[in-house]
Amino acid sequence: MKMEKLDVKHESFRQFLDRLRAEKELTDIRQPVDIRHIATLVDQAETALLFHNVIGYDMPVVSGIIRTQKRAVLSMGCNSFSEIEHKLQQGIDNPIRPKTVETAPNKQVIQVGNEVDLFRLPIPMSSIYDGGPMITAGVVIARDPEYGINSGMYRFMVKERNLTGIDIVTPNNMRLFAQRATEAGRPCPISISIGTHPFEIMGSGFRAPLGVDEMAIAGGIRGAPVELAMCETIDMPCLADAEIVLEAEILPTGWTHPEGRFGEFTRLMGGLHWNPLVKVKAITRRKDAIYYALHMPWENTWLAAPTRYTAIRRALKNAGVQVKDINVTLGGCGFWHAIVSIKKQAGEGKNALLAALTAQDIKHVVVVDDDIDVHNAMDVEWAIATRVQADRDVFIIPGAR
């Protein structure tokens, strides 16, 4: 029997946790837990975990809340995974501008200057090989004088009480904003909102064109405006519903400081990168704040993959190709591998390949006829085995991103 669609457009982060708990998709752990064990426990758990008693800290930690397809579907108020793509497309086509509110629950405790101490936040490490504790679930809002607002999710390695790095090695709008600020010799102010609803996580994870506010897309996904509050020490907005907000500046140091290593969503250890430094000027939070740690691998995947579906579908539509189905595979980490079935006309297989490769950072594409189930690996492999002559049907595009 088909479930009725939930009206979750005004749902908060905490209400989503309550809904997961009611669906038996979140387990409360009340016994004392060493922070070094959190990542392993989440990795082995069938549900999200909320650790109420983290030894040495006065703040609980939640992790794994969107780590499965089922929980990702629940987070969007959908009945199936395919609906998430439609919800994202709705947000892109019908953005709703955020609204600013006068105050927010994360203003209950305000720590500035020498009171800032990132080591008091219960930031777990993902593996014993990590270069340090990494903030993984911060929705970052930045502003450029020419291009306006940008939102995204970036990783921050804690280095000192008030100092982190920011992982912006790959080309994106945040890197552009930081680069422009560095070239102008000025810091780039950012707010980092931790503990936010998956609506805002999904919106910030969509790589929108320059000048497009991802929080307006998040509002379109929600069906209601995202509420923002102004920061205390920088002229920037933050997410009003967040549990914790870091008010910070990317320093104009350039890409000169080591960042990493880190257990990545690829199920591999990432290498050492060179990145800018970030100075945290203030921490504002709820009195009973919950720290949200986005777990690697998979917790970023289930809401990231639909952004690839949408980008591929748009590219194929612009190329005039009729799409039957798309699968951005887990084997490709939900980022890099796409299988596309099309209603083929002469020459369109090649057009579909080239168009799909322009979508975000897709690396490998397989195009099959519409009689192949793109979600069935055996079907796809059979199509490759029986219908492909490599010298005629395999194409390599050199020098692409």
Side-chain angles (χ1 to χ4, degrees), residues 70-123:
K70 180 179 180 181
R71 293 201 286 277
V73 170
L74 281 171
S75 76
M76 294 291 110
C78 296
N79 291 312
S80 68
F81 186 62
S82 62
E83 280 186 38
I84 297 179
E85 184 192 346
H86 299 302
K87 202 149 195 175
L88 172 60
Q89 192 62 56
Q90 171 186 306
I92 296 166
D93 293 339
N94 304 285
I96 299 175
R97 292 181 61 183
K99 72 175 183 179
T100 302
V101 296
E102 289 298 316
T103 187
N106 56 51
K107 305 287 188 181
Q108 291 170 349
V109 177
I110 299 174
Q111 298 165 312
V112 299
N114 292 332
E115 295 177 314
V116 172
D117 187 356
L118 296 171
F119 293 121
R120 295 183 67 183
L121 296 178
I123 306 171

Side-chain angles (χ1 to χ4, degrees), residues 7 32 37 59 61 96 129 154 157 217 230 250 284 288 334 399:
D7 182 11
H37 299 159
M59 188 181 296
V61 175
I96 299 175
Y129 301 110
Y154 308 97
M157 186 172 87
I217 293 174
M230 293 305 296
I250 302 176
T284 69
D288 58 347

